[in-house]
């Protein structure tokens, strides 16, 4: 297992943890923010797989004794010694140190990869953040270069962000070396990707190997010549031959050294050719090799690819090929269609036709492996074989020469379809391993089939299967891409369905602009297919997305654009139940503003909104679509909150989870489940069901599709923890939120602001005002300003102000009457807002304190936490100590430890010490106690 990569700054933080410094002390010592220190501590815990800060301190001592080492290079470990290249090795190392991007250029088989690996290991000590190696051989599409780099460096997909952008963000400040191997077949993808990468990552260096230059201005080319034959039997070429020949049998003796020199000269010093020849030394000997070279070598002629650099490699491969029996020649060329390591069964399915049968295929694989034309690759799913890229390309040419290319690729496509079918609906602990083992071959088969008119139907089937499999594998970006590709390959009706799935996947990724675009594209496809009801349903869905998820759009759809779509949807839906339900939901969203959209009317009538949403729920229920019913219930939950009924809003949100139990595991169903968990958690916070909110919040945080999207996954868990006072848990989770939000490109969404504000509140209660300021800056970026200023911000700010004894400022923060800011407080925040207004009024001696208490009770009856807050306020107003202590017990019963401790402090006397101890145990600052003013 490789050592974790610890950056220079993380090493400094680790050393200071070993001195048992606090985060604030480390912050002062390193002149960085406390938040940044917390981020580094969280990262160290994750990388070193340690349970807590004490374990980090112990590890720091060991780290110090051992001396801080450079990160171990993440490089493949060659199984054979690196021979020769002394001059080139030194020159290339110097070039890598001096230039941002260096391309080792040379023909296939000259030894580019081995030299790059050797040099990368040599210079690894100059790169504090490590070395990564990316083999691009399996990549068949230029657009997936960034995904291959992401997989190598451990960057996952991020909702709302392209995978290339995620890589740029992850490597932005890294002093590291990236080795991209075998780039020639995807140069069109490598060049623009590197241009963006190097511009965004000023400390990164890139070493590329390719048969041809990238032809970009920032490239430093390093032509790699064949191995030197100077010096006769002391040359680098002969040294390589002798080493490899010794590994497979008796080492060549001095008597044959002259013949070995001649062989190396005839092979042009090409490393691959020399190794292939040496591999046969034990069975053919000098005479056999010399005979083979004399009779079999020839120079290929033809198009521009037959240049001097390629001729040596192709000569060796021709010679190797012609020494094979005809059946093994057939097998070699046929298995060249496999991109990734393949099993004997897979080879039999693709290559097992005349003159071969399946048994001959299995036998022949062993012979090809013995002759170094195939590599044997052990795997979790059994023995696999893999051809070098040069051998694969040579085999493809041979397929073309004998007229088998279309037939074999078609059989390979059929095998991929069968493999996809076997994976569909399957499970088991090894499902991911089995998918990963065949995924690159499916991608390659799809790339070929998509360009063959006669294979269009099979290409569509494979694209659709790959989309569903990629979704199950949590590769959401590829799932969306494949659904869109399937739509292009399908007829209009099937295309519309594929586009609907693509839209749902985009929703799971929080790419709501894409979801909107794809629903509109689905409507157009349905129109072409003669399905007006389907087109109406899709247009209505697009209109709903525009208002339901309005805060996360990069460009908010215009009101007139959306209303025109809705009008068109009404015309098209006819009496189709599903379309009618979709239109009713769109009307509730657009015309009644059930979701409180950015572009919505702040003065909409709440009761009318409830009625519209209820109609949408009923129509969806009649249509028998649990996903549509859940979406309509989301509208109803929002409408009921606008009507000032948080309990009804929470009940509607809970119903969604129950209804979705029967929903299929489609992208749309999954997207709806994710949203339902978030809304159930949020509305539970709104009515004081904090433990239930934490349970739903935890389910959302643990959702596999959100593994790399911690900002969405943890948003409501953070809010619930803030109210309960679970400080340690919250601070840990907040680092996941922050890391994911930054990696997403600082995504803006209405659901993210409250999470950031809740973390800011906890830092305020801890007395860490710098960290609070940092998180308030995040709030400003993460969500709409009015939401914070008038809604949740008023709640969280007031709690901090009251904690520090500034009741007057707290009263001013919640000065507006609830009906003046109803759109911002009526959803989750209404109960908290009115309870805090009552408490602030009591603590400042406000003349209407009693009236505010009575008004609050009329609103929040049934909320255990907010009711306890009002009970506490009234007890303070009346000087009723027993009732004050009873309120503390109410907080304990609701799992709200912070408010319980606060109540004991407000009770004073002997209870204050217990309250102070409880606050300290939570990790919060001492509270400034101010008695109510008369």
């Amino acid at each position: 297992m490789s050592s974790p990569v610890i950056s220079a700054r993380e090493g400094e933080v680790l050393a200071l943890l070993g001195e048992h410094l606090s985060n604030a002390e480390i912050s002062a010592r390193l002149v960085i923010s406390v938040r940044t220190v917390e981020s580094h501590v969280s990262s160290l815990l994750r990388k070193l797989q340690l349970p807590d800060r004490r374990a980090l301190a112990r590890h720091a001592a060991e780290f110090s004794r051992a001396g801080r080492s450079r990160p171990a290079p993440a490089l493949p470990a060659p199984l054979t010694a690196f021979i020769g290249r002394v001059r080139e090795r030194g020159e290339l190392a110097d070039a890598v140190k001096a230039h941002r991007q260096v391309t080792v250029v040379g023909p296939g088989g000259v030894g580019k990869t081995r030299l790059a690996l050797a040099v990368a290991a040599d210079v690894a000590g100059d790169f504090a953040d490590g070395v990564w190696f990316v083999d691009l051989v399996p990549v068949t599409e230029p657009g997936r270069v960034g995904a291959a780099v992401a997989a190598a460096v451990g960057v996952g997909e991020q909702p709302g962000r392209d995978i290339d952008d995620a890589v740029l963000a992850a490597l932005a400040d890294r002093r590291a070396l990236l080795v991209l191997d075998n780039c020639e077949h995807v140069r069109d993808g490598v060049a623009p990707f590197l241009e963006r990468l190097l511009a965004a990552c000023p400390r990164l260096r890139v070493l590329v190997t390719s048969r041809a230059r990238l032809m970009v201005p920032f490239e430093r080319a390093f032509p790699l010549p064949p191995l030197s034959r100077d010096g006769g039997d002391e040359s680098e070429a002969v040294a390589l031959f002798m080493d490899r020949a010794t590994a497979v049998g008796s080492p060549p003796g001095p008597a044959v050294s002259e013949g070995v020199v001649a062989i190396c000269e005839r092979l042009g010093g090409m490393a691959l050719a020399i190794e292939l020849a040496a591999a046969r030394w034990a069975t053919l000997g000098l005479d056999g090799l010399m005979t083979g070279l004399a009779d079999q070598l020839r120079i290929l002629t033809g198009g521009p690819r037959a240049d001097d650099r390629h001729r040596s490699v192709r000569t060796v491969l021709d010679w190797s090929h012609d020494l094979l029996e005809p059946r093994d020649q057939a097998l070699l060329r046929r298995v060249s269609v496999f991109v990734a390591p393949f099993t004997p069964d897979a080879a039999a399915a693709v290559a097992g036709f005349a003159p071969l049968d399946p048994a001959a295929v299995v036998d022949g694989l062993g012979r090809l492996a013995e002759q170094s034309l195939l590599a044997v690759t052990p795997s979790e799913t059994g023995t696999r074989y893999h051809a070098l890229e040069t051998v694969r390309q040579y085999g493809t040419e041979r397929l073309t020469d004998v007229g088998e290319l279309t037939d074999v690729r078609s059989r390979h496509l059929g095998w991929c379809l069968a493999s996809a079918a076997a994976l569909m609906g399957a499970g088991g602990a090894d499902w991911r391993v089995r998918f990963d083992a065949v995924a690159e071959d499916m991608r390659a088969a799809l790339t070929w089939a998509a360009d063959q008119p006669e294979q269009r139907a099979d290409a569509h089937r494979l694209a659709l299967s790959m989309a569903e499999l990629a979704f199950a594998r949590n590769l959401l970006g590829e799932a969306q891409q494949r659904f869109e590709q399937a739509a292009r390959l399908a007829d209009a009706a099937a295309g519309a369905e594929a586009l609907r799935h693509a839209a749902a996947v985009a929703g799971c990724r929080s790419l709501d602009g894409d979801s909107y675009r794809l629903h509109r594209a689905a409507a157009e496809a349905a129109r072409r297919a003669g399905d007006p009801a389907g087109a109406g349903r899709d247009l209505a869905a697009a209109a709903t997305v525009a208002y339901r998820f309005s805060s996360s759009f990069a460009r908010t759809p215009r009101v007139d654009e959306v209303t025109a779509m809705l009008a068109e949807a009404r015309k098209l839906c006819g009496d189709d139940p599903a379309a009618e339900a979709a239109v009713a939901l769109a009307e509730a969203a657009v015309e009644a503003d059930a979701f409180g959209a950015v572009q919505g009317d702040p003065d909409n009538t709440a009761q009318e909104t409830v009625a519209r949403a209820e109609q949408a729920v009923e129509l969806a229920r009649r249509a028998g679509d649990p996903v549509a019913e859940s979406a309509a219930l989301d509208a109803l939950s929002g409408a009921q909150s606008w009507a000032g009924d948080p309990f009804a809003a929470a009940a509607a949100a809970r119903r969604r989870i129950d209804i979705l139990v029967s929903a299929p595991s489609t992208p749309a169903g999954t997207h709806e489940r994710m949203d339902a968990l978030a809304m159930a958690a949020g509305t539970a916070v709104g009515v004081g069901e904090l433990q239930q909110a934490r349970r739903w919040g935890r389910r959302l945080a643990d959702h596999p599709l959100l593994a790399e999207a911690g900002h969405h996954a943890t948003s409501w868990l953070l809010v619930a923890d803030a109210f309960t006072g679970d400080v340690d848990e919250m601070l840990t989770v907040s680092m996941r939120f922050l890391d994911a939000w930054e990696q997403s490109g600082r995504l803006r969404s209405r659901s993210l602001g409250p999470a950031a504000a809740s973390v800011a509140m906890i830092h305020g209660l801890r007395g860490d005002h710098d960290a609070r300021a940092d998180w308030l800056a995040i709030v400003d970026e993460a969500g709409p300003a009015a939401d914070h200023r008038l809604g949740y911000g008023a709640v969280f700010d007031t709690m901090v102000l009251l904690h520090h004894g500034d009741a007057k400022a707290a009263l001013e923060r919640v000065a507006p009457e609830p009906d003046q800011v109803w759109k911002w407080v009526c959803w989750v925040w209404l109960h908290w807002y009115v309870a805090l207004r009552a408490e602030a009024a009591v603590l400042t001696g406000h003349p209407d304190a009693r009236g505010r208490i009575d008004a609050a009770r009329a609103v929040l009856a049934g909320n255990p936490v907010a009711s306890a807050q009002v009970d506490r306020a009234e007890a303070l107003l009346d000087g009723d100590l027993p009732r004050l202590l009873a309120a503390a017990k109410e907080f304990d019963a609701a799992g709200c430890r912070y408010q319980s401790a606060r109540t004991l402090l407000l009770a004073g006397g002997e209870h204050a010490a217990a309250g102070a101890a409880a606050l300290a145990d939570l990790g919060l600052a001492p509270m400034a106690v101010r008695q109510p003013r008369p």
Side-chain angles (χ1 to χ4, degrees):
M1 185 174 184
S2 62
S3 301
V5 175
I6 298 176
S7 70
R9 180 64 83 187
E10 287 171 342
E12 292 171 345
V13 171
L14 183 58
L16 294 176
L17 287 171
E19 297 177 23
H20 304 288
L21 299 187
S22 68
N23 286 355
E25 291 169 328
I26 295 173
S27 168
R29 182 81 64 88
L30 298 180
V31 195
I32 57 178
S33 73
V34 174
R35 178 178 64 79
T36 301
V37 175
E38 290 170 344
S39 178
H40 287 313
V41 171
S42 176
S43 177
L44 286 165
L45 288 170
R46 181 174 65 253
K47 288 181 177 181
L48 297 174
Q49 298 182 356
L50 295 174
D52 55 30
R53 192 183 184 94
R54 288 188 296 275
L56 273 179
R58 289 193 298 271
H59 184 83
E62 300 170 4
F63 189 80
S64 177
R65 284 194 300 272
R68 184 168 174 231
S69 61
R70 299 285 188 184
L75 298 171
L79 300 179
T80 55
F82 183 78
I83 304 296
R85 299 291 192 192
V86 175
R87 178 181 60 81
E88 293 95 336
R89 188 169 180 171
E91 291 177 352
L92 181 58
D94 291 340
V96 169
K97 295 174 184 177
H99 303 282
R100 297 290 310 285
Q101 193 259 303
V102 180
T103 302
V104 181
V105 182
V110 76
K112 301 184 297 294
T113 299
R114 290 301 302 271
L115 178 63
L117 287 172
V119 169
D122 290 344
V123 302
D126 293 330
F127 296 92
D129 292 315
V131 179
W132 291 287
F133 180 87
V134 185
D135 183 6
L136 295 180
V137 167
V139 178
T140 57
E141 300 171 20
R144 292 193 59 78
V145 170
V149 175
V153 303
V155 175
E157 291 187 343
Q158 299 296 328
R161 189 172 213 179
D162 182 82
I163 190 67
D164 289 9
D165 292 333
V167 173
L168 267 57
L171 303 183
D173 61 348
R174 297 295 186 94
R175 179 172 175 76
L177 174 64
L178 179 65
V179 182
L180 297 184
D181 194 37
N182 296 300
C183 295
E184 54 274 355
H185 61 300
V186 286
R187 282 191 302 159
D188 291 345
V190 172
F193 174 77
L194 286 186
E195 187 168 6
R196 294 182 61 204
L197 182 69
L198 291 169
C201 309
R203 304 173 71 197
L204 187 72
R205 301 293 172 96
V206 180
L207 177 58
V208 166
T209 74
S210 178
R211 295 186 183 185
R213 289 185 294 136
L214 301 181
M215 301 297 289
V216 289
F218 53 83
E219 176 185 43
R220 178 76 172 192
F222 187 94
L224 184 62
L227 281 167
S228 172
R229 279 90 70 203
D230 297 340
D233 58 3
E234 297 295 324
S235 69
E236 292 180 340
V238 170
L240 177 63
F241 185 99
M242 300 295 280
D243 181 84
R244 301 303 191 254
T246 299
V248 296
S250 301
V256 299
S257 61
E258 187 175 335
V260 172
V261 172
I263 289 173
C264 292
E265 189 64 42
R266 295 287 297 275
L267 294 178
M270 299 298 291
L272 174 61
I274 291 170
E275 290 188 329
L276 287 172
R280 287 156 182 79
W281 171 263
T283 54
L284 294 179
L286 177 61
D287 291 343
L289 286 174
M290 291 300 292
T291 300
L293 290 174
D295 295 339
Q296 302 297 322
L297 285 177
R298 62 185 183 273
I299 295 176
L300 298 178
T301 59
R305 296 175 62 192
D307 60 21
D308 289 339
R309 293 179 304 159
H310 291 122
R311 287 171 184 157
S312 296
V313 174
R314 292 183 179 176
T315 296
V316 171
L317 290 172
D318 270 336
W319 164 74
S320 300
H321 172 269
D322 289 346
L323 287 177
L324 299 175
E325 294 292 332
R327 291 194 303 173
D328 288 345
Q329 291 177 348
L331 179 59
L332 179 64
R333 66 177 179 262
R334 291 173 184 178
V335 297
S336 69
V337 296
F338 287 102
V339 176
F342 55 89
T343 64
D345 287 344
V350 173
F353 62 98
L356 300 173
D357 57 43
V361 168
V362 175
D363 185 43
L365 291 173
R367 288 195 297 273
L368 293 177
E370 289 170 2
Q371 297 180 56
S372 300
L373 289 166
L374 291 178
V376 180
T377 307
S379 75
E380 297 180 33
T381 54
T383 301
R384 291 179 176 270
Y385 296 86
H386 189 209
L388 295 173
E389 176 62 11
T390 50
V391 176
R392 285 190 59 247
Q393 293 181 1
Y394 179 83
T396 300
E397 291 180 357
R398 285 289 179 170
L399 283 174
T400 302
D401 292 342
V402 300
E404 288 184 347
L405 182 62
T406 299
D407 191 12
V408 173
R409 285 205 178 279
S410 297
R411 293 174 70 91
H412 180 250
L413 173 62
W415 174 79
C416 289
L417 284 165
S419 299
L423 287 166
M424 297 288 287
D430 65 341
W431 186 92
R432 287 191 173 194
V433 173
R434 288 187 289 122
F435 170 81
D436 291 344
V438 298
E440 288 297 347
D441 273 291
M442 289 193 290
R443 291 171 184 132
L446 180 55
T447 298
W448 173 78
D451 289 334
Q452 310 299 315
E454 68 277 8
Q455 300 286 358
R456 190 178 183 88
D458 281 343
H460 168 253
R461 286 173 53 209
L462 184 55
L464 206 57
S465 295
M466 284 196 67
E468 296 179 26
L469 292 170
F471 187 79
R473 181 65 176 83
N474 297 341
L475 300 174
L476 301 192
E478 182 170 8
Q480 181 181 333
Q481 173 194 353
R482 299 304 175 193
F483 276 126
E484 293 191 56
Q485 185 178 24
R488 293 192 297 271
L489 293 166
D491 58 32
E497 187 62 21
L499 288 167
R500 290 173 193 131
H501 288 311
V505 177
C508 292
R509 302 175 68 200
S510 294
L511 293 177
D512 298 306
D514 268 11
S515 185
Y516 177 71
R517 168 182 63 82
L518 290 164
H519 276 303
R520 297 183 72 179
E524 182 57 33
R527 234 192 271 261
R528 291 197 307 271
D531 179 12
R537 185 170 71 250
D538 291 318
L539 287 174
T544 298
V545 167
Y547 273 60
R548 187 181 182 189
F549 304 109
S550 61
S551 67
S552 61
F553 274 73
R555 182 194 70 82
T556 306
R558 300 191 320 272
V559 173
D560 59 342
E561 176 181 287
V562 177
T563 54
M565 281 195 307
L566 180 53
E568 183 67 14
R570 287 194 191 98
K571 294 177 185 177
L572 293 169
C573 73
D575 58 359
D576 180 86
E580 287 181 334
V583 168
L585 177 57
E587 289 173 341
V590 176
E591 296 178 345
D593 193 26
F595 297 106
V598 170
Q599 65 271 53
D601 181 1
D603 296 322
N604 60 316
T605 304
Q607 291 306 321
E608 178 188 349
T609 306
V610 171
R612 292 285 195 98
E614 287 176 338
Q615 181 186 20
V617 172
E618 177 59 22
L619 289 173
R621 187 191 63 76
R622 291 180 190 173
D625 184 347
V627 173
E629 188 174 354
S630 170
L633 281 168
D634 192 27
L636 179 59
S637 180
Q640 287 166 330
S641 74
W642 308 147
D645 192 347
F647 292 104
R654 287 195 300 271
R655 280 176 59 195
R656 294 177 65 192
I657 294 177
D658 295 337
I659 287 170
L660 289 169
V661 170
S662 63
S665 297
T666 60
T670 302
H671 180 218
E672 200 62 37
R673 285 187 184 92
M674 291 161 63
D675 185 75
L677 284 172
M679 294 304 98
T683 54
V685 167
V687 295
E689 297 175 359
L690 298 182
Q691 297 309 311
Q692 184 64 64
R694 293 191 77 252
R695 283 191 288 272
W696 277 321
R698 174 54 62 189
R699 282 177 59 184
L700 186 66
D702 293 340
H703 197 292
L705 288 184
L706 292 174
E708 301 292 343
H711 49 316
H712 284 292
T714 61
S715 57
W716 285 109
L717 183 60
L718 288 171
V719 174
D721 282 344
F723 279 114
T724 59
D726 289 311
V727 177
D728 289 342
E729 170 74 7
M730 184 186 196
L731 292 179
T732 299
V733 173
S734 71
M735 288 300 100
R736 180 184 171 194
F737 174 94
L738 180 60
D739 289 345
W741 179 69
E742 289 180 338
Q743 290 175 14
S744 77
R746 295 175 173 256
L747 184 71
R748 188 176 182 84
S749 174
R750 181 158 276 167
S751 64
L752 301 179
S758 68
V759 181
M761 181 194 79
I762 288 296
H763 283 298
L765 298 181
R766 296 173 69 221
D768 190 340
H769 301 296
D770 288 342
R772 173 170 165 77
D774 287 343
W775 278 93
L776 288 176
I778 293 170
V779 174
D780 291 340
E781 288 189 61
D787 287 14
H788 180 248
R789 187 178 73 256
L790 302 173
Y792 57 82
V795 171
F796 292 132
D797 289 350
T798 300
M799 290 178 69
V800 173
L801 291 166
L802 291 175
H803 183 89
H804 293 290
D806 195 347
K808 181 178 179 181
L811 186 66
E812 292 174 355
R813 191 67 179 89
V814 288
E817 294 287 342
D819 59 1
Q820 293 178 300
V821 290
W822 70 273
K823 186 172 182 178
W824 292 274
V825 303
C826 62
W827 180 46
V828 169
W829 317 110
L830 177 61
H831 288 179
W832 308 104
Y833 189 86
V834 298
L836 287 166
R837 288 185 89 240
E839 183 172 346
V842 169
L843 292 174
T844 57
H846 191 280
D848 192 32
R850 184 77 64 184
R852 288 193 177 188
I853 289 172
D854 293 340
R857 289 198 186 284
V859 171
L860 53 77
N863 182 322
V865 181
S867 293
Q869 283 183 273
V870 175
D871 288 345
R872 179 177 64 197
E874 189 168 34
L876 287 169
L877 183 63
D878 296 338
D880 189 339
L881 179 61
R883 193 171 180 190
L884 203 59
L885 297 177
K889 292 181 179 179
E890 292 176 45
F891 286 124
D892 284 330
C896 197
R897 293 190 293 163
Y898 166 66
Q899 293 293 353
S900 174
R902 174 174 166 75
T903 306
L904 292 175
L905 277 160
L906 288 170
E910 63 186 76
H911 308 290
L919 280 183
D921 187 54
L922 290 173
L924 299 178
M927 191 179 82
V929 179
R930 298 287 186 272
Q931 294 301 321
R933 293 184 182 180

